[in-house]
């Protein structure tokens, strides 16, 4: 971005992501911690995708959407952590204005996409539990592809509008963002341009593109819970609930984190707490998602056991996984 005058000020070319600058003595420890988290996140989600592709028993709509979610979590983490790790190693906390807006675009797009993917997964569980006889017909391969493709397309197209407005803002200083990644609200607050249109557009997009999938997810689980409670046997209720419990946990963590983070963001006195909560939402959630699905899902455990046994580690690992299943 070329220098431009705004009154007596000059447009800035880069921002400073303060990150965890309040803890200079912990930079090495933070680097090692985030490095381990990033490697574990990529490895865990990649393993889920490989298992789903390689195992024929996992070629079902539920695992197809889970594979998409694992790909998304890997991409989401990769838009934040490599930049954070580099700043912890080099001490260089600067990021160009265009680089910041680019990071914001991919982060926001992937969050929006996750809203739709979680809604698709909840609808899949609704059909499986509430409409079991019609499930194979309704949730066919073509419809699954359409839901997944629509989730990715809607997520990335929706944020283009917001980013186009943000890219037209002028930033005159200060240029410090008290966060470890480029978030739209702190970025907007640094602008010396009129941000009313950006605020309005952000509000409209939030309701148009995130409220419908949230309502669909909520409605699906209300119907699912209602159907499960009507099952006469305890064993039947437990079996039905086990098919959606992992997804319900992921949905709760995802939407709970969003609500807490963006409510607390309005209060300046809670900015430090908000940064910690944002860390849980952006870094830890992609890490625990594959753990939630693998540790609570018998079919994923069995697929992992089968894959490991082919690699020559049959006996010990199979016994360990079998004990976890039972």
């Amino acid at each position: 971005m070329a220098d431009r005058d705004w009154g007596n000020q000059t447009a800035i070319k880069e921002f400073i992501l303060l990150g965890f600058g309040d803890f200079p003595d912990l930079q090495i420890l933070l680097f090692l911690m985030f490095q381990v988290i990033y490697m574990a996140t990529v490895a865990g989600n990649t393993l889920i995708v490989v298992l789903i592709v390689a195992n024929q028993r996992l070629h079902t709509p539920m695992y197809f959407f889970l594979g998409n979610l694992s790909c998304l979590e890997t991409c989401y983490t990769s838009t934040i952590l490599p930049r954070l790790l580099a700043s912890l190693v080099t001490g260089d906390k600067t990021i160009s204005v265009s680089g910041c807006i680019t990071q914001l675009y991919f982060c926001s797009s992937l969050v929006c996409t996750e809203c739709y993917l979680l809604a698709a997964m909840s609808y899949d569980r609704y059909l499986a539990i509430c409409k079991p006889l019609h499930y194979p017909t309704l949730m066919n391969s073509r419809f699954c592809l359409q839901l997944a493709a629509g989730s990715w397309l809607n997520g990335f197209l929706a944020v283009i509008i917001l980013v186009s407005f943000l890219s037209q803002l002028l930033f005159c200083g200060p240029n410090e963002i008290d966060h470890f990644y480029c978030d739209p609200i702190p970025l907007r607050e640094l602008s010396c341009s009129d941000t009313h249109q950006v605020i309005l557009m952000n509000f409209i997009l939030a309701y148009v593109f995130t409220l419908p999938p949230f309502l669909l997810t909520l409605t699906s689980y209300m119907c699912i819970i209602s159907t499960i409670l009507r099952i006469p046997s305890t064993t039947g209720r437990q079996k039905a609930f086990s098919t959606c419990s992992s997804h319900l946990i992921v949905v709760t963590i995802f939407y709970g984190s969003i609500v807490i983070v963006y409510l607390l963001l309005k209060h300046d006195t809670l900015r430090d707490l908000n940064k910690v909560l944002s860390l849980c939402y952006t870094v830890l959630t992609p890490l625990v998602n594959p753990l939630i699905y693998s540790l609570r899902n018998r079919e994923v455990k069995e697929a992992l056991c089968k894959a490991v046994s082919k690699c020559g580690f049959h006996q010990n690992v199979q016994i360990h996984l079998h004990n976890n299943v039972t």
Side-chain angles (χ1 to χ4, degrees):
M1 181 182 292
D3 288 351
R4 293 176 293 179
D5 290 329
W6 181 268
N8 295 325
Q9 294 178 308
T10 302
I12 60 176
K13 296 181 180 180
E14 59 186 21
F15 296 114
I16 298 175
L17 291 173
L18 297 180
F20 302 95
D22 296 336
F23 309 100
D25 298 333
L26 299 177
Q27 299 299 297
I28 297 177
L29 180 62
L30 288 171
F31 171 79
L32 294 175
M33 182 183 71
F34 288 130
Q35 178 69 23
V36 171
I37 289 175
Y38 182 54
M39 293 173 63
T41 300
V42 173
N45 283 289
T46 302
L47 179 61
I48 292 290
V49 174
V50 171
L51 289 175
I52 291 172
V53 172
N55 194 298
Q56 291 290 331
R57 291 185 60 190
L58 302 183
H59 290 185
T60 63
M62 181 176 72
Y63 293 108
F64 171 73
F65 292 125
L66 176 57
N68 276 268
L69 181 63
S70 294
C71 289
L72 183 146
E73 299 288 24
T74 302
C75 295
Y76 184 57
T77 306
S78 297
T79 62
I80 297 175
L81 279 186
R83 176 69 189 79
L84 177 59
L85 290 171
S87 67
L88 288 172
V89 170
T90 63
D92 182 12
K93 301 179 183 298
T94 61
I95 184 172
S96 66
V97 173
S98 58
C100 188
I101 292 178
T102 300
Q103 186 190 61
L104 182 150
Y105 169 71
F106 282 103
C107 287
S108 301
S109 296
L110 291 167
V111 169
C112 191
T113 300
E114 186 162 356
C115 289
Y116 281 94
L117 275 177
L118 291 176
M121 295 173 77
S122 65
Y123 183 64
D124 170 71
R125 293 298 84 204
Y126 161 75
L127 292 178
I129 294 174
C130 302
K131 309 278 185 183
L133 298 179
H134 302 285
Y135 178 74
T137 304
L138 295 175
M139 192 57 70
N140 52 58
S141 299
R142 182 179 178 182
F143 188 49
C144 288
L145 287 172
Q146 290 174 341
L147 285 176
S151 298
W152 287 92
L153 192 63
N154 279 333
F156 278 84
L157 289 180
V159 183
I160 287 178
I161 304 172
L162 176 62
V163 168
S164 64
F165 277 85
L166 283 172
S167 62
Q168 296 175 17
L169 295 179
L170 187 66
F171 300 96
C172 310
N175 65 339
E176 293 182 345
I177 299 178
D178 189 14
H179 222 306
F180 56 90
Y181 72 101
C182 292
D183 193 67
I185 297 179
L187 181 64
R188 188 184 68 214
E189 291 175 349
L190 293 179
S191 174
C192 51
S193 305
D194 184 6
T195 60
H196 286 89
Q197 287 186 337
V198 176
I199 295 173
L200 178 61
M201 185 55 59
N202 194 15
F203 179 82
I204 293 173
L205 290 175
Y207 276 87
V208 172
F209 287 97
T210 61
L211 187 60
F214 170 73
L215 292 177
L216 176 60
T217 302
L218 183 63
T219 303
S220 296
Y221 271 102
M222 289 175 63
C223 296
I224 288 171
I225 293 172
S226 176
T227 301
I228 291 176
L229 291 177
R230 290 200 299 267
I231 297 176
S233 67
T234 304
T235 304
R237 287 196 297 269
Q238 290 176 346
K239 185 177 180 180
F241 185 73
S242 66
T243 64
C244 61
S245 59
S246 297
H247 180 253
L248 183 59
I249 293 172
V250 171
V251 168
T252 303
I253 293 173
F254 177 73
Y255 281 109
S257 300
I258 288 180
V259 170
I260 293 174
V261 166
Y262 286 97
L263 283 178
L264 290 176
L265 192 62
K266 297 179 180 179
H267 303 282
D268 293 335
T269 56
L270 297 176
R271 285 295 175 89
D272 290 337
L273 177 60
N274 174 261
K275 194 185 298 185
V276 175
L277 292 172
S278 296
L279 188 66
C280 297
Y281 163 64
T282 57
V283 176
L284 295 183
T285 301
L287 172 65
V288 300
N289 279 358
L291 293 176
I292 291 171
Y293 277 104
S294 60
L295 294 178
R296 297 182 60 87
N297 193 297
R298 181 177 179 178
E299 290 177 318
V300 174
K301 289 180 182 179
E302 290 177 349
L304 179 59
C305 179
K306 184 177 179 181
V308 172
S309 66
K310 290 182 179 180
C311 298
F313 304 100
H314 176 71
Q315 203 113 33
N316 293 333
V317 177
Q318 189 173 28
I319 291 173
H320 178 69
L321 291 174
H322 178 73
N323 290 336
N324 284 339
V325 171
T326 56

